[in-house]
Amino acid sequence: MSDKLIIEGGIPLSGEISISGAKNAALPILVATLLCDEPVILSNVPYLYDITTVMKLLNQIGVRLLINERMQIEVDTQNVHCYFAPYDLVKSMRASILVLGPLLAKYGEASVSLPGGCAIGARPVNLHIEGMRALGAQVTLEGGHVKARAKKRLKGATIVLSKVTVTGTENILMAAVLAEGRTIIRNAACEPEVCDLAKFLNAMGARICGIGTDTLIVDGVKRLHGGYYKVISDRIEAGTYLVASAMTRGKVRVNHIDPSLLSNLLGKLCLAGAYLRYGNDWIELDMQGRQPKAVDIVTAPYPAIPTDMQAQLMAMNAVSEGSAKVTETIFENRFMHVCEMQRMGADISLHNNTAMIRGKPYLQAALVTATDLRASASLVLAGLMAINGETVVEGIGHIDRGYEYLEEKLLQLGARVRRVIDHPLNRVFSQQAESIVD
Ligand code: UD1
């Protein structure tokens, strides 16, 4: 069981909010502090379940973490004594695999439980493992763990990734910064979060060139020092609120976000009929009260439309004028939100990796269940345009993995939304209420 969100839809969002630090940048950067010989201070780290999971993991392997009231985190890795990421943490957050590269590069040894299945597809880690092997490590799979060892310092190599992988690129990059000689990573992911990790590593003394391109060139150094670094803001969070604003026919300004990180998404929102204004670190979207027009979407690696925005854009199309196709090219099985949206009256049909959506002005309130992080977000967005009652989104724990203060921010934009906390007492009371009804 986890908390529920109850939404009364049909109200245009209006107002402004501040965008939090990027989860997918903060996670690898927190892990990359393992490579540093001196303390690191990180700011703009979001307060999220995935972040506390990675902090728990770092803590278990001997990292000392000090957090102040503004979520500035001081990380000191001088007492690392264990090189193991256990299954209970890895299964709740796949990104735990990111400790493989840094532990191996710094301590010559790492053992990480295999992440296993996940709600949005198989998500293998073969490219992470091949990368470590190319750098000279011995990697074996034993009892459900990836075990990597390097007798001496890793050695630079040319690695051509057969598929663009975000955490795979990050893992290899972190291993390569302490390797001897030059590593070239071709077909590297160039997502802004990968760039932020590379910039962090350079700020701590690494020598990485080609940041922002699909070829990263890393000249290995013997050690990284400590320092201060501010994590970039979350383009997926910003995109989610902009889409929410477009589909509710509202007017919303998101602050603390660089618009250039979302250019393809902003293009789609323009096609949907939004009026956009932006500055260096803000974006304002105004629908002038009109229903959006349905837009075709194909997800692909950066700078194309991110797979992490697919579900939210599907929700927008479901309440748009006309019909559109949404094609998912990154993950198989990332359409778990479709049947829940259909329960809210959305007209969606699935053909392999493509969804055909015929828009309508409103959806119908219903009880729906969230299955993964972005699917949960899309159901909340759908709830904002669902009428004739209240939408109840169950399994909202997924949202807490990736959206900081979601309901507070929605309330700030005028949405009618409230959380029901899954407290043991609530369960007792609801069981009593049920037995009274019986
Ligand atoms: C990261 C993001 C996630 C986002 C995804 C795609 C983090 C913590 N998570 O996930 O939010 O949805 O990128 O932008 O940053 N693949 C392989 N072998 C591998 C690794 C990946 O075949 O060893 C495949 C995957 O199955 C998938 C594709 O490559 O089809 C891309 O996955 P990848 O970029 O690795 O996703 P993550 O890094 O797990």
Side-chain angles (χ1 to χ4, degrees):
M1 285 293 280
S2 75
D3 299 357
K4 294 173 193 167
L5 219 54
I6 301 184
I7 306 156
E8 203 183 308
I11 300 160
L13 296 186
S14 149
E16 58 185 282
I17 49 163
S18 190
I19 296 305
S20 302
K23 166 181 89 76
N24 286 355
L27 285 175
I29 289 173
L30 270 163
V31 169
T33 61
L34 283 168
L35 295 161
C36 301
D37 287 349
E38 293 153 7
V40 171
I41 296 177
L42 298 175
S43 70
N44 206 31
V45 177
Y47 180 53
L48 295 170
Y49 188 75
D50 272 10
I51 298 293
T52 51
T53 303
V54 84
M55 285 166 63
K56 211 189 280 177
L57 172 59
L58 290 175
N59 196 249
Q60 278 190 9
I61 60 183
V63 176
R64 194 180 60 100
L65 297 140
L66 274 178
I67 309 170
N68 74 12
E69 70 292 347
R70 283 178 293 143
M71 270 302 276
Q72 259 192 5
I73 305 181
E74 186 181 327
V75 193
D76 184 346
T77 60
Q78 280 169 59
N79 292 315
V80 169
H81 51 71
C82 147
Y83 315 122
F84 175 56
Y87 183 63
D88 61 330
L89 291 176
V90 179
K91 80 167 191 284
S92 66
M93 192 191 60
R94 282 192 86 262
S96 310
I97 188 74
L98 285 168
V99 296
L100 186 71
L103 285 177
L104 178 66
K106 180 94 181 274
Y107 302 100
E109 192 182 333
S111 170
V112 183
S113 277
L114 270 174
C118 114
I120 56 173
R123 296 180 87 173
V125 291
N126 57 311
L127 299 173
H128 301 235
I129 294 172
E130 283 168 27
M132 300 305 139
R133 283 189 179 135
L135 295 171
Q138 286 179 320
V139 189
T140 51
L141 297 180
E142 292 169 33
H145 305 294
V146 181
K147 294 203 171 184
R149 278 181 206 90
K151 287 208 183 87
K152 40 188 191 183
R153 199 173 160 200
L154 294 174
K155 218 167 162 41
T158 295
I159 297 167
V160 184
L161 292 167
S162 58
K163 219 170 180 181
V164 178
T165 158
V166 172
T167 48
T169 302
E170 291 168 347
N171 229 339
I172 297 168
L173 183 64
M174 289 188 281
V177 290
L178 292 187
E180 193 188 334
R182 174 169 284 193
T183 299
I184 302 176
I185 310 172
R186 295 197 193 280
N187 200 27
C190 40
E191 267 66 5
E193 296 74 23
V194 180
C195 301
D196 207 35
L197 168 67
K199 286 179 192 161
F200 163 78
L201 291 167
N202 276 355
M204 301 303 136
R207 290 172 59 204
I208 304 166
C209 296
I211 299 174
T213 73
D214 64 358
T215 303
L216 291 169
I217 301 168
V218 189
D219 284 313
V221 294
K222 286 206 170 128
R223 64 183 292 275
L224 295 187
H225 51 73
Y228 165 81
Y229 193 79
K230 184 178 177 198
V231 174
I232 51 162
S233 294
D234 199 315
R235 66 194 166 105
I236 304 298
E237 189 201 17
T240 301
Y241 286 105
L242 290 172
V243 168
S245 165
M247 59 193 281
T248 59
R249 305 155 199 192
K251 180 179 177 185
V252 163
R253 173 171 158 145
V254 288
N255 294 320
H256 299 140
I257 185 70
D258 172 357
S260 69
L261 303 181
L262 294 114
S263 34
N264 266 309
L265 177 69
L266 297 181
K268 289 290 174 189
L269 291 170
C270 271
L271 286 177
Y275 289 91
L276 291 167
R277 294 195 316 130
Y278 44 85
N280 282 342
D281 70 343
W282 59 270
I283 307 166
E284 186 182 83
L285 179 146
D286 186 359
M287 289 305 288
Q288 300 188 335
R290 283 172 295 114
Q291 184 183 13
K293 294 187 196 76
V295 283
D296 289 338
I297 303 292
V298 181
T299 65
Y302 191 80
I305 298 292
T307 174
D308 284 353
M309 283 303 303
Q310 180 254 107
Q312 301 90 312
L313 288 161
M314 177 108 68
M316 182 179 88
N317 278 331
V319 292
S320 293
E321 193 188 321
S323 53
K325 254 193 328 197
V326 171
T327 307
E328 171 60 53
T329 73
I330 306 289
F331 292 113
E332 83 277 21
N333 199 21
R334 203 176 193 177
F335 281 140
M336 309 283 275
H337 43 281
V338 168
C339 43
E340 298 301 299
M341 285 185 196
Q342 286 166 334
R343 299 186 61 245
M344 299 173 79
D347 185 347
I348 307 174
S349 50
L350 277 182
H351 312 276
N352 303 319
N353 68 337
T354 299
M356 272 298 305
I357 305 118
R358 272 172 290 274
K360 40 178 79 173
Y362 290 97
L363 298 174
Q364 299 299 315
L367 170 65
V368 289
T369 304
T371 48
D372 70 60
L373 169 55
R374 306 301 169 188
S376 319
S378 74
L379 295 176
V380 173
L381 264 48
L384 293 173
M385 280 305 275
I387 52 173
N388 296 333
E390 290 182 328
T391 294
V392 180
V393 185
E394 289 195 331
I396 216 68
H398 292 287
I399 283 238
D400 299 331
R401 292 186 38 224
Y403 289 89
E404 190 179 45
Y405 306 129
L406 176 92
E407 65 268 30
E408 287 84 349
K409 290 187 184 184
L410 285 175
L411 283 169
Q412 204 170 319
L413 297 176
R416 289 204 193 124
V417 47
R418 65 183 196 279
R419 179 184 287 247
V420 177
I421 295 174
D422 178 39
H423 189 276
L425 274 180
N426 281 353
R427 265 178 262 160
V428 172
F429 288 140
S430 68
Q431 275 160 14
Q432 282 172 352
E434 274 166 28
S435 55
I436 291 165
V437 173
D438 282 346

